[in-house]
Each structure stands twice: as structure tokens, then as C-alpha cells.
Amino acid sequence: KQEVTQIPAALSVPEGENLVLNCSFTDSAIYNLQWFRQDPGKGLTSLLLIQSSQREQTSGRLNASLDKSSGRSTLYIAASQPGDSATYLCAGTQGGSEKLVFGKGTKLTVNP
Amino acid sequence: DTAVSQTPKYLVTQMGNDKSIKCEQNLGHDTMYWYKQDSKKFLKIMFSYNNKELIINETVPNRFSPKSPDKAHLNLHINSLELGDSAVYFCASSPWPGELFFGEGSRLTVL
């Protein structure tokens, strides 16, 4: 049974800092990996999708990578801003399944 | 022009009642999902439909019954509501394989 661990559970940083969020899967056979952000009381917003043939994706100040040999993914946020404050969730599917398994998230607070 | 829309956004009801949550997507995706987010914010899949066909049915009580009248709609009906059903229910859609897009969620409170 696939389980997803996100470290740290919470993170508080001053504005402008670069930071890394971590995600690991008990079964490293990840097909697609997706990072989301969730604002309080809101739905999930897709940030980045790493598909089966890819290892990395970038969008603006965000960069996500996936090491399929270890089943680990990192989300790098450059020059963090207060507007980045949210909970960040990683989720992955395994080959042949459309079931996206989620971690419990990292709650990020960026202080002005 | 919301991509994935759910109604109602909030639902407060008594134990034992039956309620439905509706979901519609205008993205042209073939696959739709229902996820449940519990009080600890943990998201878990409940059901998935691909072109109106049920493809994922997790260990969910029989009181939960999804229905997909067409590939743009996936509704969730819950019978005999229990206190433990209180949660936020999220609808999502995707092409397959591909990126999931979520609705804003429907917060169900059972009293």
C-alpha cells in the first residue's frame, strides 16, 4: 500500500528565503507526481505535474523534481513571498492506476 | 467560467438524513473523482469514473453512491448520514493520464 510522507509538517520562514519541501513514497514506482497548494477553506490548486517520462518541472519561482530510484520528490520555492503561505501537498499515481495518493502536506508560513 | 464546480459549498444536516453533492466540469476531461478530506486534512480518494464507468471504488460504506449521468457530471449521494461523515468532499477531473483539477470543496457537517 502506497504511503506518502511530507517533511517538514510545518515551516515558517522570513520573506525572500529559498526553501525546499520534501515528499517521499514507500513504493518508488511513481507514474505521475503532482504538487498542489491549498489555501485555508479552499480547494487544491495544481502547481506542477511531473509525468512518467519526466524528472523535473519548473513554473516561475517553483521547481519540482522526482528521483524515481528513491521515490523522493522535492519542491523548491525561490525568493519566497507572504503570498506563498499555504499548505503544499504532493501526490502520486502508480502505473496502471488513476488513484492519486496524497501526503498530509507541509504548512508554509512566509513572514513579511 | 469555473473549471470544476461543486454544489452546495456548505451543507449542514441531521444524522440519518440523505444528501447529495453535485459536481460538474467544463474541461472536457474523461475522468472524474471524489475525494474526502477529513478533520486532520488528510485527502483520500473515494471514487473515480472514466467516461461514466466506475473505475475506482475504495473501501467506502455502501451509504455512499456516486452517479455519473455523463462524463461532465459526477454526483455523490449519501444515505443515512452519520457524524463521522462530516468532512470536506472534493470533486476533481483529469484527462488520463494527466493533471488533476479540483473543485472548491463541499463542507458537510452532520449534527
Side-chain angles (χ1 to χ4, degrees):
Chain A
K1 179 189 168 187
Q2 178 72 281
E3 292 183 359
V4 186
T5 302
Q6 289 191 245
I7 295 172
L11 182 62
S12 181
V13 300
E15 183 176 2
E17 234 180 64
N18 301 327
L19 56 100
V20 175
L21 307 182
N22 298 290
C23 172
S24 62
F25 296 79
T26 51
D27 186 336
S28 62
I30 304 301
Y31 190 75
N32 283 349
L33 183 134
Q34 202 165 347
W35 280 92
F36 297 88
R37 77 174 268 169
Q38 185 174 26
D39 294 282
K42 298 287 187 180
L44 281 72
T45 301
S46 178
L47 297 173
L48 292 164
L49 169 69
I50 301 177
Q51 293 186 302
S52 58
S53 58
Q54 299 169 330
R55 294 293 179 269
E56 189 175 4
Q57 279 291 334
T58 297
S59 175
R61 295 181 294 107
L62 306 180
N63 173 274
S65 63
L66 173 61
D67 180 347
K68 291 201 171 188
S69 63
S70 64
R72 294 177 187 272
S73 177
T74 59
L75 177 67
Y76 176 82
I77 303 177
S80 58
Q81 303 171 357
D84 295 332
S85 298
T87 296
Y88 290 79
L89 297 142
C90 74
T93 62
Q94 295 185 273
S97 171
E98 298 176 52
K99 185 166 69 173
L100 200 63
V101 180
F102 279 84
K104 293 187 177 182
T106 293
K107 185 175 181 180
L108 173 66
T109 303
V110 181
N111 301 301
Chain B
D1 46 337
T2 306
V4 182
S5 59
Q6 301 178 224
T7 55
K9 190 169 182 178
Y10 298 98
L11 191 52
V12 181
T13 189
Q14 299 288 330
M15 261 194 336
N17 284 351
D18 303 338
K19 290 294 177 186
S20 291
I21 307 171
K22 295 186 175 182
C23 179
E24 176 182 2
Q25 55 98 2
N26 62 6
L27 297 167
H29 291 160
D30 291 333
T31 309
M32 295 186 72
Y33 311 79
W34 278 110
Y35 278 81
K36 179 180 179 180
Q37 189 171 44
D38 60 26
S39 56
K40 296 182 180 179
K41 307 297 183 187
F42 189 51
L43 264 164
K44 193 171 179 186
I45 192 167
M46 299 173 69
F47 303 103
S48 176
Y49 272 74
N50 183 274
N51 277 321
K52 302 193 298 176
E53 182 183 341
L54 181 66
I55 54 171
I56 294 175
N57 185 354
E58 288 294 284
T59 308
V60 176
N62 290 339
R63 299 181 294 101
F64 290 79
S65 53
K67 197 158 281 188
S68 181
D70 55 63
K71 73 173 193 177
H73 295 84
L74 180 61
N75 304 322
L76 182 65
H77 188 76
I78 316 169
N79 290 325
S80 304
L81 278 156
E82 300 177 357
L83 292 176
D85 297 332
S86 295
V88 182
Y89 293 85
F90 285 99
C91 178
S93 74
S94 73
W96 190 84
E99 192 173 7
L100 261 73
F101 293 86
F102 280 78
E104 290 280 292
S106 296
R107 181 175 293 277
L108 171 65
T109 303
V110 182
L111 302 175

